[in-house]
Amino acid sequence: MKILFYDATSYDVDSFDRELFQYEGIEITYQETDISLKTVSLAQGYDAICAFVNSDLSAPVIEKLHEMGISLILMRCAGFNNVDLNKTKEYGMTILRVPGYSPEAVAEHAMTLALAVNRHLHKSYIKVRENNFSLVGLTGVNFYQKTAGIIGTGKIGAAMCRICKGFGMRVIAYDMYPNKNLDFVEYMPLEEVLKQSDLISLHCPLTKETKHIINKDSIAMMRENVILVNTSRGALVKTEDLIQGIRSGKFFGVGLDVYEEEGNNVFENREDEMLEHSVTARLLSFPNVIVTSHQGFLTKEALAAISQTTLQNALDYEKGQITEANLVTA
Ligand code: NAD
């Protein structure tokens, strides 16, 4: 099977090449550019493409893939909200993903963001480098005995619940399907989680129901000085409303690994560009906001697991033995 691997970075190449020898018959060509209407034709002659979280897999791109006879899309990630599933279904294409590579990697990053904004690490790092050893402006709060509210307690949310419990926090959660393994978690309606939490961490997928789940109404329900962390998908949060909330002083801190406008930024070096009109620039202007570039998944363990599952998905597809749990359906 010949796979065109879009949006390849050095760490992708390293981790896939390390595993590839174990998957006989699979050939990968790495392509630095991501898939788009302009670059989709590069996939001519391949059997499958491999894509990532922000790859453009909209209807027109899917149409071109279909025209070129490509019927397999290997997503090297868990999320698939960027794939037009109606189109892939219409053309009978198969989408395989990596549903759970290392939930702890993402949950640990969520807690990293929460701790960093709480203890102002982003400021103290700079201050000390400038020989400013003053502690003014660096006061945080204890997480111990505070309430963590987890929205979505699947694999990553469950890992975050366990981390918060380890910090001695009371853990409350909202999910339509409570996780029976989390006997220390108190499930309650979303409104109650919003009202009672000192730390809110988002771990539900982006769906029609969850789009803008954090908006001006839900922000109004939150406690004053709440810490909000989003490592799930940017559009869970209505950014304009978040910005209003930050301006009004509602948040002690906000940690975002994902945000609505991230598409053009994620994994790109835009050092020389002016971002002054963008939402990113506005978010970055607040002293109590830390933004990272969708790096929650980025640990050695997670990368190894992503490569193994993606390659296994390719092999299983060839053998006609797809793992149901990895199959994306409309
Ligand atoms: P999962 O499918 O194991 O869990 C998702 C949970 O959300 C499920 O328990 C589900 O019942 C719940 N849910 C669905 N709709 C909900 C709603 N309306 N309200 C509350 N809960 C709802 O998924 P996961 O592996 O834990 O991943 C969660 C999300 O994390 C993914 O969808 C993806 O967007 C994101 N993610 C981010 C990164 C990163 O690098 N930042 C990496 C991997 C995944």
Side-chain angles (χ1 to χ4, degrees):
M1 178 189 291
K2 285 170 67 183
I3 301 169
L4 184 62
F5 192 111
Y6 277 100
D7 198 19
T9 60
S10 56
Y11 54 79
D12 287 319
V13 177
D14 285 350
S15 64
F16 273 80
D17 277 355
R18 206 170 292 132
E19 306 293 336
L20 196 55
F21 74 97
Q22 301 180 68
Y23 298 86
E24 214 176 305
I26 295 189
E27 272 175 46
I28 298 183
T29 303
Y30 297 102
Q31 174 66 49
E32 266 183 42
T33 35
D34 204 351
I35 190 163
S36 67
L37 210 44
K38 278 189 189 152
T39 61
V40 63
S41 55
L42 295 169
Q44 184 75 53
Y46 288 86
D47 304 302
I49 62 136
C50 182
F52 198 47
V53 281
N54 286 307
S55 300
D56 176 2
L57 292 165
S58 56
V61 175
I62 299 286
E63 233 166 73
K64 291 273 176 211
L65 288 172
H66 173 67
E67 278 167 28
M68 290 187 284
I70 292 175
S71 55
L72 175 63
I73 298 178
L74 296 160
M75 299 298 292
R76 52 181 191 280
C77 54
F80 49 85
N81 52 284
N82 50 331
V83 187
D84 189 316
L85 294 181
N86 291 328
K87 268 282 170 237
T88 54
K89 189 176 174 191
E90 185 185 328
Y91 294 140
M93 292 167 90
T94 304
I95 321 296
L96 293 169
R97 66 175 181 132
V98 186
Y101 37 90
S102 176
E104 289 74 20
V106 184
E108 286 174 17
H109 191 66
M111 186 47 106
T112 303
L113 285 171
L115 290 170
V117 285
N118 176 32
R119 303 305 288 266
H120 313 283
L121 283 195
H122 53 308
K123 285 197 212 168
S124 54
Y125 172 76
I126 302 285
K127 281 172 89 149
V128 170
R129 285 173 71 98
E130 308 258 317
N131 291 344
N132 177 354
F133 303 98
S134 156
L135 300 183
V136 174
L138 300 182
T139 310
V141 292
N142 281 8
F143 280 0
Y144 179 62
Q145 292 191 335
K146 294 287 182 350
T147 299
I150 311 301
I151 299 175
T153 54
K155 289 175 286 299
I156 298 171
M160 185 61 175
C161 287
R162 287 190 289 269
I163 291 172
C164 292
K165 180 174 182 273
F167 272 71
M169 303 182 86
R170 173 185 175 228
V171 187
I172 63 176
Y174 168 67
D175 195 310
M176 295 92 75
Y177 306 100
N179 187 330
K180 292 187 183 71
N181 299 320
L182 300 173
D183 56 1
F184 59 91
V185 171
E186 297 166 50
Y187 280 93
M188 51 187 75
L190 177 62
E191 291 75 14
E192 279 307 310
V193 173
L194 295 169
K195 281 180 191 163
Q196 296 188 30
S197 303
D198 302 294
L199 162 64
I200 295 174
S201 194
L202 307 179
H203 298 288
C204 54
L206 176 61
T207 61
K208 274 191 204 112
E209 292 74 37
T210 60
K211 184 167 185 208
H212 292 170
I213 196 169
I214 301 299
N215 53 45
K216 71 175 179 346
D217 297 331
S218 48
I219 291 172
M221 287 181 210
M222 294 178 192
R223 285 186 169 177
E224 295 304 309
N225 285 320
V226 64
I227 291 176
L228 174 71
V229 171
N230 187 10
T231 55
S232 201
R233 282 291 179 269
L236 295 180
V237 177
K238 190 167 181 201
T239 315
E240 288 298 333
D241 292 0
L242 177 67
I243 288 171
Q244 284 310 315
I246 298 168
R247 281 215 178 104
S248 73
K250 182 86 183 187
F251 296 94
F252 191 85
V254 175
L256 303 173
D257 190 42
V258 290
Y259 49 97
E260 283 186 296
E261 202 192 55
E262 71 178 42
N264 291 334
N265 298 341
V266 164
F267 317 134
E268 300 299 325
N269 181 350
R270 302 184 69 192
E271 269 173 355
D272 296 332
E273 292 174 46
M274 300 278 188
L275 302 179
E276 76 268 32
H277 297 304
S278 75
V279 164
T280 320
R282 274 199 287 162
L283 285 171
L284 291 174
S285 72
F286 297 112
N288 58 342
V289 175
I290 294 185
V291 179
T292 53
S293 187
H294 209 132
Q295 69 177 72
F297 71 99
L298 198 63
T299 66
K300 285 185 179 171
E301 291 79 0
L303 288 173
I306 289 170
S307 328
Q308 287 156 9
T309 307
T310 307
L311 291 166
Q312 192 60 49
N313 278 343
L315 215 55
D316 290 350
Y317 176 84
E318 279 226 306
K319 290 184 188 156
Q321 295 171 349
I322 285 170
T323 304
E324 279 303 310
N326 299 357
L327 184 64
V328 178
T329 45

